[in-house]
């Protein structure tokens, strides 16, 4: 079945943007299923860098329809800025971008609550992107959320915002000691955005299912990564949505029987932004070197990413909860030149060895990784397009990852550009 989910297998920033852009060549529709503008997906085309936050990474292909699904949370000003930024660079963003009527809106008070909550947590903060993601999903589940479709009904919009502000303003004043919000001001701003966004709003579930029924190629793009998933990640140091492959079904309204493949994007090492446990984190010069060489700074917030060795235990967990059918291993070139490469194959906690993901946060936080050492390679892998042309040590590294995770590598990425890629198995 020609429906492929692209999902982050670690803590985000695995290179999903590049993979989605490459695979879009064969896709009729690319649809984002969760998250918001906390995401930063980078695509490099003709030596120019594009960072997509809300718009699917397929947008650089003119003929593909891009969909922002119901599972995504949308900050309209950020979306408009992204649309305008792309248009200025000559990228077509017209009817080829559709937004689900049911996607929830990030409101100004969500952003304020996110930032105030983080401040109050102090040292125990999650290190969110401060974009209002968590509070927006809270309102969605509390059934007090405001949706993209509400932008088309000004009276109802004002009514809903006013009702919400009764509680929110009380909290802002009495808990956080800050000023409240005016419903009228919010409505004026948001209804202004509606004029621009209105023509993109659609019943995207029907469009997606009709396309699937017609045998079209669908590419479903995840944001964040499995370890940031609200249920299957390192809770509470996670994001507030279902980043795993299952989230594609709820976040777009497509049934699991329609999914053909699930491609897990895996960086050849591990990175994480924000707080939370990270057993293989390197605080030495190798970690520093990987950060420098890999340009490991957040695409959204610019924060330095924490870097460490590849952890195949979390990847096994990822393979399981996503039902991965293949791996896309990215940034192999960043490991060029290392004498030794370490792979985490298990954890030691309180004298005991574990070969599976430790779900208790204290154990995961307090464990020491067990490593297997592999010989590095001195040759450059940048831009290599055939597996057999990789240095033998690099081939051995890939084969060992496949063995430990129990999933084959379908794709290996050897650079930022579209053609810096080895395809071992086609997705469509
Ligand atoms: P995403 O959030 O998963 O889309 O990933 P990001 O865009 O946040 O971070 C991945 C970064 O790595 C971007 O700067 C990409 O341009 C870059 N990148 C992706 N694949 C490769 C690769 O194979 N080699 C190198 N050197 N860079 C890559
Ligand atoms: P992409 O799609 C990496 C992290 C934040 C923080 C936690 C919660 O580019 O891979 P949030 O603002 O979502 O409430 O923050 O999640 N985070 C990401 N880390 N890549 C991302 O997206 C992320 N989106 C959120 O740093 O630790
Ligand atoms: Mg990113």
């Amino acid at each position: 079945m020609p429906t492929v989910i692209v999902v982050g297998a670690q803590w985000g920033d695995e290179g999903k943007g590049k993979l989605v852009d490459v695979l879009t060549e064969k896709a009729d529709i690319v649809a984002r299923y969760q998250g918001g503008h906390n995401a930063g997906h980078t695509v490099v085309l003709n030596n120019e860098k594009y960072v997509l936050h809300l718009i699917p990474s397929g947008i650089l292909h003119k003929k593909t329809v891009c969909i922002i699904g119901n599972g995504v949370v949308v900050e309209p000003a950020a979306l408009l800025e992204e649309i305008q930024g792309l248009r200025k660079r000559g990228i077509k963003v017209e009817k080829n971008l559709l937004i689900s009527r049911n996607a929830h809106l990030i409101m100004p008070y969500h952003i304020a609550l996110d930032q105030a909550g983080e401040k109050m947590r102090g040292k125990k903060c999650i290190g969110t992107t401060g974009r209002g993601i968590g509070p927006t999903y809270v309102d969605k589940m509390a059934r007090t959320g405001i949706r993209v479709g509400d932008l088309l009904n000004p009276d109802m919009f004002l009514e809903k915002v006013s009702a919400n502000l009764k509680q929110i303003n009380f909290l802002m004043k009495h808990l956080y000691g800050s000023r409240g919000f005016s419903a009228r001001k919010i409505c004026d701003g948001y209804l202004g955005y509606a004029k621009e966004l209105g023509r993109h709003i659609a019943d995207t579930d029907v469009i997606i299912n009709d396309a699937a029924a017609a045998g079209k190629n669908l590419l479903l793009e995840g944001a964040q990564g499995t370890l940031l998933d609200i249920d299957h990640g390192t809770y509470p140091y996670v994001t507030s949505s279902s980043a795993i492959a299952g989230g594609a079904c709820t976040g777009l309204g497509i049934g699991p029987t329609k999914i053909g493949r699930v491609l897990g994007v895996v960086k050849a090492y591990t990175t994480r932004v924000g707080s939370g446990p990270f057993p293989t984190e390197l605080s030495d010069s190798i970690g520093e070197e990987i950060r420098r060489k890999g340009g490991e700074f957040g695409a959204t917030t610019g924060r330095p990413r924490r870097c460490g060795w590849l952890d195949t235990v979390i990847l096994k967990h990822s393979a399981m909860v996503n039902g991965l059918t293949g791996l896309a291993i990215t940034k192999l070139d960043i490991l060029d030149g290392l004498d030794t490469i370490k792979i985490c194959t298990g954890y030691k906690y309180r004298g005991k060895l574990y070969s599976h993901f430790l779900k208790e946060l204290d154990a995961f936080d307090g464990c020491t990784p067990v490593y297997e050492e592999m010989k590095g390679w001195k040759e450059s892998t940048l831009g290599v397009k055939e597996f057999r042309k990789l240095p033998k040590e690099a081939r051995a590294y890939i084969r060992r990852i496949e063995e430990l995770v129990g999933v084959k590598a379908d794709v290996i990425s050897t650079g930022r550009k579209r053609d810096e890629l080895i395809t071992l198995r086609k997705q469509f």
Side-chain angles (χ1 to χ4, degrees):
M1 260 174 295
T3 298
V4 179
I5 299 176
V6 172
V7 63
Q10 294 153 315
W11 277 284
D13 303 324
E14 298 90 348
K16 299 175 292 293
K18 171 180 168 169
L19 258 296
V20 169
D21 171 62
V22 167
L23 296 174
T24 300
E25 203 189 325
K26 292 262 160 54
D28 300 290
I29 291 183
V30 183
R32 252 287 291 278
Y33 60 82
Q34 44 69 238
H37 64 315
N38 49 347
H41 298 174
T42 314
V43 177
V44 176
L45 177 62
N46 302 329
N47 281 323
E48 278 206 53
K49 183 170 116 171
Y50 298 84
V51 181
L52 286 323
H53 299 284
L54 273 165
I55 298 179
S57 308
I59 197 73
L60 304 185
H61 296 254
K62 276 192 205 113
K63 286 191 185 139
T64 311
V65 173
C66 287
I67 290 179
I68 296 178
N70 58 275
V72 176
V73 287
V74 177
E75 208 281 280
L79 177 56
L80 275 173
E81 197 184 314
E82 202 173 324
I83 292 175
Q84 281 153 6
L86 287 171
R87 281 190 191 142
K88 262 193 209 144
R89 298 173 74 178
I91 307 298
K92 175 181 146 193
V93 192
E94 305 299 336
K95 269 295 193 191
N96 56 333
L97 177 70
L98 300 173
I99 311 163
S100 165
R101 200 181 292 283
N102 289 357
H104 279 248
L105 288 169
I106 298 182
M107 307 297 288
Y109 47 84
H110 292 134
I111 298 168
L113 287 171
D114 185 3
Q115 294 175 1
E118 281 284 272
K119 212 164 152 193
M120 197 164 248
R121 278 185 215 109
K123 275 193 181 148
K124 295 217 155 168
C125 72
I126 294 162
T128 72
T129 58
R131 303 287 198 268
I133 307 297
T136 307
Y137 281 111
V138 167
D139 271 1
K140 171 175 173 171
M141 290 309 180
R143 293 156 295 178
T144 51
I146 299 178
R147 306 201 284 186
V148 166
D150 294 331
L151 287 170
L152 304 176
N153 186 338
D155 292 339
M156 203 215 287
F157 193 86
L158 179 63
E159 206 176 292
K160 287 187 178 179
V161 175
S162 305
N164 285 354
L165 283 182
K166 281 192 190 138
Q167 269 190 36
I168 305 276
N169 279 345
F170 183 86
L171 211 65
M172 290 313 298
K173 280 182 202 152
H174 299 288
L175 183 63
Y176 296 120
S178 56
R179 284 176 54 195
F181 291 88
S182 143
R184 176 54 65 191
K185 263 197 192 153
I186 293 180
C187 285
D188 287 349
Y190 274 54
L191 297 172
Y193 306 139
K195 286 197 192 97
E196 299 285 328
L197 294 178
R199 64 204 168 104
H200 296 282
I201 301 174
D203 290 325
T204 53
D205 53 347
V206 176
I207 293 166
I208 287 173
N209 281 283
D210 283 353
K216 304 259 187 200
N217 289 344
L218 309 186
L219 187 57
L220 315 184
E221 177 179 10
Q224 289 81 53
T226 303
L227 276 298
L228 287 173
D229 179 272
I230 188 74
D231 289 289
H232 301 283
T234 46
Y235 191 88
Y237 297 99
V238 292
T239 190
S240 300
S241 64
S242 297
I244 63 160
C249 294
T250 54
L252 294 167
I254 184 167
T257 50
K258 304 272 164 45
I259 307 299
R261 288 186 200 274
V262 184
L263 184 66
V265 188
V266 175
K267 203 178 281 191
Y269 45 96
T270 312
T271 62
R272 171 162 207 174
V273 204
S275 329
F278 178 2
T280 63
E281 183 168 12
L282 288 166
S283 48
D284 59 6
S285 60
I286 300 180
E288 194 54 53
E289 183 58 13
I290 291 176
R291 183 175 310 113
R292 189 196 61 75
K293 210 170 154 198
E296 297 297 353
F297 295 88
T300 295
T301 57
R303 290 179 290 177
R305 294 173 182 156
R306 300 155 66 191
C307 298
W309 296 117
L310 189 76
D311 183 340
T312 60
V313 185
I314 64 162
L315 292 179
K316 274 198 291 188
H317 171 70
S318 252
M320 177 181 80
V321 297
N322 289 301
L324 297 184
T325 56
L327 304 180
I329 301 175
T330 63
K331 303 190 92 161
L332 186 68
D333 53 297
I334 302 304
L335 299 181
D336 292 353
L338 290 171
D339 294 324
T340 306
I341 294 173
K342 292 188 184 181
I343 308 186
C344 169
T345 57
Y347 309 123
K348 212 170 176 185
Y349 181 64
R350 292 192 175 156
K352 256 182 95 176
L353 275 175
Y354 296 88
S355 60
H356 59 82
F357 176 53
L358 300 173
K359 294 209 178 76
E360 279 177 25
L361 197 74
D362 280 355
F364 192 60
D365 200 19
C367 72
T368 9
V370 176
Y371 288 118
E372 199 173 280
E373 289 197 6
M374 295 194 76
K375 202 164 173 277
W377 54 91
K378 294 291 165 198
E379 305 90 323
S380 166
T381 63
L382 183 69
V384 171
K385 296 178 183 65
E386 286 177 68
F387 190 74
R388 63 183 178 88
K389 295 207 170 141
L390 286 175
K392 72 172 188 313
E393 294 84 0
R395 276 183 275 143
Y397 184 57
I398 301 287
R399 292 302 180 217
R400 188 65 185 134
I401 297 170
E402 291 179 323
E403 223 167 69
L404 288 165
V405 182
V407 183
K408 290 264 182 223
D410 286 354
V411 183
I412 299 159
S413 174
T414 54
R416 312 181 82 192
K417 298 181 197 156
R418 269 185 189 167
D419 64 344
E420 292 173 330
L421 198 78
I422 300 168
T423 302
L424 296 168
R425 180 164 69 155
K426 291 204 164 89
Q427 301 304 301
F428 291 112

